[in-house]
Structure formats: C-alpha cells, structure tokens
Amino acid sequence: MNYVELSAAISAYTENTEDNFIAEIPVFVKQAEQRIYNSIQFPSLRKNMTGVTQSGNKYLSAPSDFLAVYSLA
C-alpha cells in the first residue's frame, strides 16, 4: 500500500470526503508514525556502555548521545 492508497483508505473508512478532513490526513499519518516510533525500541538505537561507580557519588555519568535507559545490570 502506498501513501495515495492509504489516504483513500482513511477517507473511505471514515466515510468523510470533506476538503478540510482530507487536508488533515497527512497530519494523522505523521502522528501515527510518531506514536509507533515512540512505542517501539529499535535494536539499532541501543548501545552498551560501561559505567564506573564512586564512593559517595550516587550518580552514573551518561553518554553524550543518551536518549533513555533500556536496562541496567
């Protein structure tokens, strides 16, 4: 399915052919893509790091490209 077919399917499913609604379909698609991207953890975005703990310091330094913790062991 390409983008034109997706837009037509959205319009058909909602039974709405109003110009304002059709003009907002790209926004719907972009928001759906962002929601999917945010809910999936891609292995290519993971990175293993080694940290060093110090007495009296309860924090670990984060790498400069840090996004979020996947796991800590």
Side-chain angles (χ1 to χ4, degrees):
M1 174 180 285
N2 62 30
Y3 187 78
V4 173
E5 293 170 337
L6 177 62
S7 294
I10 292 171
S11 180
Y13 181 79
T14 59
E15 297 179 357
N16 191 343
T17 57
E18 181 189 11
D19 291 337
N20 290 335
F21 179 80
I22 300 298
E24 292 297 319
I25 288 178
V27 175
F28 303 153
V29 172
K30 185 148 186 89
Q31 288 176 343
E33 288 173 342
Q34 192 63 46
R35 188 170 183 176
I36 292 167
Y37 181 79
N38 289 338
S39 66
I40 296 175
Q41 295 182 347
F42 295 103
S44 61
L45 296 178
R46 293 186 201 147
K47 180 178 183 181
N48 289 330
M49 296 297 301
T50 302
V52 178
T53 58
Q54 298 173 358
S55 177
N57 184 0
K58 59 182 178 180
Y59 300 102
L60 286 172
S61 59
S64 61
D65 58 350
F66 177 79
L67 295 175
V69 175
Y70 177 72
S71 68
L72 181 64

